[in-house]
């Protein structure tokens, strides 16, 4: 019975640590733009390669 209380306390501690980490990530803007970086990688052209070739023509 005594070990059950320790397990409950450990479980509550882990849950509060997870909640604190989630709230920290919300405050620091980790979820602001989920699609922007992925789309920029696929859609932006490299100005060193294709951009200069088009300007020279």
């Amino acid at each position: 019975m005594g070990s059950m209380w320790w397990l409950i306390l450990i479980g509550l501690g882990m849950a509060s640590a997870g909640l604190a980490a989630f709230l920290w990530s919300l405050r620091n803007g980790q979820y602001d733009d989920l699609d922007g970086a992925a789309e920029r990688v696929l859609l932006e052209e490299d100005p060193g390669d294709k951009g200069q070739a088009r300007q020279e023509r």
Side-chain angles (χ1 to χ4, degrees):
M1 189 71 173
S3 62
M4 182 179 73
W5 291 109
W6 282 109
L7 290 175
I8 290 172
L9 289 174
I10 290 171
L12 287 174
M14 290 175 66
S16 63
L19 180 63
F22 176 70
L23 292 176
W24 172 83
S25 67
L26 278 178
R27 274 188 261 128
N28 287 325
Q30 296 293 319
Y31 302 109
D32 284 347
D33 187 16
L34 296 177
D35 296 327
E39 290 176 3
R40 280 193 300 273
V41 168
L42 296 174
L43 299 178
E44 282 187 1
E45 293 181 2
D46 187 16
D49 294 337
K50 297 178 183 176
Q52 289 179 354
R54 288 183 183 167
Q55 291 175 358
E56 291 174 359
R57 290 182 186 173

